[in-house]
Amino acid sequence: MSRPPGEDRTLRALGLAGVPREEPLLYPGAWPRESGLLDGDRLLPLDRPVYDEEDGRVPVLAIGSNASPAQLRHKMAEFGTDSPIPMVRSRVTGLDIGVSAHVSRMGYVSASPVGAPGTVRELFVLWLDAEQLAVIDASEGVPMAGGNFDRVWLPAPDVRVEPGDGSVLGGAYAYVNRHGVLHDGTGAPRRHPGAQRPLITELLHGSARLRELFGATPEEFSARARADRRLCDRGTRLFAEEGRVTASGLERYVGSGPQDPFAGSRTPSAGPTAPTP
């Protein structure tokens, strides 16, 4: 992949600089158009799409804002981690992007994978080393009893991941919401629209109780939810109380795969400076 000499590959120049953790209504953030190597504030050309155990990296599917380079950079900076991250645009069969059945303390309603046999999506695979994986785990609440996500191993052929070099991965990790996902009114998981304003507007329109908690507009929702754990917990419970929640179809994978690929490796060197979702 050749680039003109001196081409500006900064996230700002590429239109990828917005951080949903700082501006919640940007969620899920801008995704790159192609694979790349996230190195600090730059997204550089990637020399290969697949890594292995000898490289000390594992594949993790990015369903929501983890596919945003700016969000990834923000998460890593919270823990003082600055090593490069390969981001590989891949063809994924068997998954779709649903709506998490919880209100994030970041001020948005996040995405979560749902089982969808036969569905094909273009998603990013992050090849993470031990420290990077620990950072993402922490950001998703995996180590916390009250966290919102479990990291699960999705094996092939249940989920087929094709990174573009003709190969098929043996599987990949993904983060499955512990609260389930929102349904579309028929009981089936609803698809995340990929933008916060229409999603939050529809959720508020459909529930007077949700408007009482979070206001009448997406801006009010985000402002009230941000960093208010009790209010977010009330909103999360309300989704269930109003019968909006269904299973993702991926719960059966929790605890069934290699949950600790880097057992014994060091964890992030510093604690986060912002609340986890």
Side-chain angles (χ1 to χ4, degrees), residues 62-80:
I63 302 299
S65 66
N66 285 334
S68 161
Q71 184 89 321
L72 273 180
R73 179 172 175 262
H74 188 279
K75 289 184 177 187
M76 295 298 158
E78 287 181 349
F79 291 88

Side-chain angles (χ1 to χ4, degrees), residues 85-109:
I85 300 176
M87 303 180 65
V88 179
R89 191 174 181 92
S90 304
R91 176 185 170 95
V92 179
T93 305
L95 285 186
D96 206 349
I97 302 176
V99 180
S100 296
H102 85 282
V103 179
S104 171
R105 291 179 63 198
M106 295 298 153
Y108 45 67
V109 180

Side-chain angles (χ1 to χ4, degrees), residues 1-90:
M1 187 187 304
S2 61
R3 295 289 174 186
E7 182 181 4
D8 191 346
R9 301 293 297 176
T10 63
L11 298 185
R12 183 168 301 280
L14 296 173
L16 302 172
V19 180
R21 284 188 159 209
E22 296 178 343
E23 300 178 74
L25 294 182
L26 292 180
Y27 185 95
W31 292 14
R33 292 188 297 272
E34 58 190 8
S35 300
L37 181 71
L38 179 61
D39 187 2
D41 188 42
R42 299 180 300 163
L43 189 67
L44 304 175
L46 191 63
D47 60 355
R48 57 186 171 127
V50 176
Y51 297 74
D52 55 33
E53 293 182 2
E54 292 185 0
D55 299 301
R57 294 183 179 275
V58 295
V60 178
L61 285 166
I63 302 299
S65 66
N66 285 334
S68 161
Q71 184 89 321
L72 273 180
R73 179 172 175 262
H74 188 279
K75 289 184 177 187
M76 295 298 158
E78 287 181 349
F79 291 88
T81 299
D82 58 5
S83 53
I85 300 176
M87 303 180 65
V88 179
R89 191 174 181 92
S90 304

